[in-house]
């Protein structure tokens, strides 16, 4: 089977990777790369989704990790006077100047180890659930309800893998963290707080990420329908749609992210200020403590950093994912024995 650059005779039908079909509308007006993509099979294999997803997750988190470190610190409810920041750029500059060039990258290794398998399952689950639910709900085209449910289901798998990595990463990111390596952090948390500490914020994470991913996927698919209706491989459309979808979802779910950060880090100065002995657990308790210490503005601490982090992060994720999905499927097709 060969990839053909032109239309298929008078029946030039653009076939999309997610399983839907749309009229190609006269193949001559599109560039060769787009036509190659549209003439690929209507669904990529599970291994392709998983490999593309893993690459997207690793690159997304690696590139944006320094900004993520700043976001974690800016969400601190009662920061050390030496760790108070007014902007993302100012924070990065101060951290590098006072704590060393590599300090914003501490904890990156554990994030990469978690992001690969988490995003592999995330995208594979999303693509398969989306295709199944679209067939059940809408028969043809795109159902926003199906996309939202598929994103929520994918989040359950993603967060089960990522939550322990998030706990270790955020504890290493905090100012004056006693943890110098991911292994020592894992061992200390396990020994002093038990295995449950790695999932203390799991319900909060899900409460945050299910609406986040629903907004994210629905917005992304909606924008793709507007700017890339034929669903060809179009890097610019993936970047724009991914970035805007991530920014909107991030802004809407910032209050939940602040509570998740508090549960993950168990910020000692904040706990002492609130007269809490032991460990803080539960989303309701986290919400109450944020309000007690900072009022309503406390729920939006670090929102600027969160949006600045998520906008390019989701743009990178979608563009890398769509590229590898296209590249791997095309490569498999080219290696088949012609018939």
């Amino acid at each position: 089977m060969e990839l053909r650059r032109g239309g298929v005779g008078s029946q030039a039908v653009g076939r999309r990777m997610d399983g839907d079909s749309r009229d190609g509308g006269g193949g001559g007006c599109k560039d060769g790369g787009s036509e190659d993509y549209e003439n690929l099979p209507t669904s990529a294999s599970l291994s392709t989704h998983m490999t593309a997803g893993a690459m997207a997750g690793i690159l997304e988190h690696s590139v944006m990790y320094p900004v993520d470190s700043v976001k974690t610190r800016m969400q601190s409810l009662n920061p050390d006077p030496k760790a108070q920041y007014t902007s993302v750029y100012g924070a990065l500059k101060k951290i590098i100047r006072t704590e060393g060039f590599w300090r914003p990258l501490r904890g990156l290794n554990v994030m990469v180890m978690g992001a690969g398998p988490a995003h592999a399952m995330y995208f594979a689950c999303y693509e398969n659930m989306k295709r199944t639910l679209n067939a059940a709900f809408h028969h043809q085209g795109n159902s926003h309800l199906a996309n939202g449910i598929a994103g929520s289901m994918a989040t359950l798998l993603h967060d089960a893998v990522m939550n322990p990595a998030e706990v270790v990463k955020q504890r290493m990111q905090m100012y004056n963290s006693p943890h110098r390596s991911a292994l020592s952090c894992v061992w200390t948390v396990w020994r002093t707080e038990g295995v449950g500490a790695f999932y203390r914020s799991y319900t909060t994470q899900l409460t945050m990420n299910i609406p986040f991913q629903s907004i994210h996927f629905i917005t992304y698919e909606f924008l793709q329908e507007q700017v890339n209706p034929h669903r060809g491989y179009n890097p610019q459309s993936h970047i724009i749609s991914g970035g805007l979808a991530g920014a909107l979802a991030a802004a809407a779910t910032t209050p939940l992210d602040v509570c998740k950060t508090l549960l993950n880090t168990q910020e000692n100065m904040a706990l002492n200020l609130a007269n809490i002995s032991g460990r803080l657990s539960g989303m309701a308790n986290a919400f109450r403590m944020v309000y007690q210490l900072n009022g309503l503005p406390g729920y939006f601490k670090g929102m600027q950093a969160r949006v600045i982090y998520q906008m390019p992060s989701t743009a990178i994720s979608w563009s890398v994912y769509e590229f590898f999905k296209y590249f791997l499927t095309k490569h498999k097709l080219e290696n088949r024995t012609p018939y």
Side-chain angles (χ1 to χ4, degrees):
M1 184 175 181
E2 296 177 340
L3 283 167
R4 285 170 290 177
R5 300 183 73 81
V8 276
S10 62
Q11 300 176 349
V13 176
R15 294 160 63 188
R16 304 189 303 157
M17 295 284 286
D18 63 5
D20 297 334
S21 295
R22 295 180 187 267
D23 186 354
C29 65
K30 285 179 283 197
D31 60 68
S34 177
E35 289 182 7
D36 276 355
Y37 184 80
E38 290 180 353
N39 286 323
L40 293 176
T42 55
S43 63
S45 67
L46 179 65
S47 63
T48 294
H49 289 310
M50 293 188 77
T51 305
M55 293 302 298
I58 290 169
L59 284 170
E60 167 197 346
H61 286 286
S62 298
V63 172
M64 298 306 299
Y65 193 82
V67 180
D68 185 47
S69 294
V70 171
K71 175 189 74 73
T72 297
R73 291 195 181 194
M74 291 182 81
Q75 288 180 335
S76 174
L77 296 181
N78 189 36
D80 187 285
K82 295 177 182 176
Q84 292 181 349
Y85 316 108
T86 56
S87 71
V88 175
Y89 176 72
L92 275 174
K93 200 170 157 186
K94 186 174 181 180
I95 292 169
I96 290 170
R97 188 180 70 249
T98 60
E99 301 174 56
F101 181 79
W102 298 107
R103 183 61 181 91
L105 295 177
R106 188 182 293 175
L108 175 61
N109 56 344
V110 74
M111 203 64 203
V112 168
M113 288 173 64
H119 279 70
M121 292 189 291
Y122 170 73
F123 277 107
C125 178
Y126 173 69
E127 293 280 10
N128 282 281
M129 289 296 297
K130 181 179 75 168
R131 187 165 57 248
T132 301
L133 292 172
N134 267 306
F137 290 172
H138 221 62
H139 302 296
Q140 290 182 343
N142 225 356
S143 164
H144 295 308
L145 178 61
N147 297 336
I149 295 173
S152 299
M153 296 298 292
T155 300
L156 294 173
L157 288 176
H158 173 273
D159 287 3
V161 175
M162 281 297 284
N163 209 86
E166 282 277 344
V167 171
V168 175
K169 174 207 69 164
Q170 290 197 309
R171 293 199 181 203
M172 294 180 73
Q173 286 173 333
M174 292 297 283
Y175 176 74
N176 218 16
S177 171
H179 309 294
R180 293 293 178 267
S181 72
L183 197 59
S184 72
C185 183
V186 170
W187 172 244
T188 301
V189 172
W190 184 299
R191 182 169 48 84
T192 59
E193 301 175 48
V195 69
F198 295 106
Y199 284 94
R200 188 178 283 127
S201 66
Y202 185 55
T203 53
T204 303
Q205 184 102 336
L206 287 177
T207 306
M208 176 187 74
N209 279 345
I210 286 175
F212 176 92
Q213 298 299 355
S214 297
I215 295 168
H216 171 205
F217 281 116
I218 289 170
T219 305
Y220 178 81
E221 297 288 355
F222 171 77
L223 290 172
Q224 280 289 288
E225 288 178 353
Q226 310 308 309
V227 301
N228 186 21
H230 297 293
R231 297 303 180 97
Y233 173 58
N234 184 331
Q236 293 91 337
S237 78
H238 301 314
I239 290 170
I240 292 168
S241 300
L244 291 175
L248 179 62
T253 56
T254 296
L256 292 164
D257 192 46
V258 171
C259 295
K260 182 208 77 172
T261 298
L262 177 61
L263 290 170
N264 277 345
T265 60
Q266 295 292 310
E267 193 184 338
N268 287 327
M269 292 177 70
L271 293 177
N272 291 337
L273 200 62
N275 296 318
I276 293 176
S277 58
R279 302 292 171 183
L280 181 71
S281 62
M283 186 182 66
N285 290 329
F287 260 95
R288 275 195 294 270
M289 183 170 165
V290 171
Y291 185 78
Q292 178 186 343
L293 294 179
N294 293 102
L296 285 176
Y299 294 117
F300 298 94
K301 286 176 79 70
M303 186 168 78
Q304 178 198 41
R306 179 165 161 78
V307 172
I308 289 173
Y309 167 75
Q310 284 293 350
M311 193 169 187
S313 183
T314 46
I316 291 168
S317 182
W318 277 110
S319 59
V320 171
Y321 174 70
E322 294 288 358
F323 167 75
F324 275 100
K325 189 168 74 169
Y326 161 68
F327 174 78
L328 292 169
T329 305
K330 182 180 176 182
H331 181 68
K332 284 182 180 179
L333 216 55
E334 287 173 341
N335 286 339
R336 285 182 184 172
T337 305
Y339 58 86

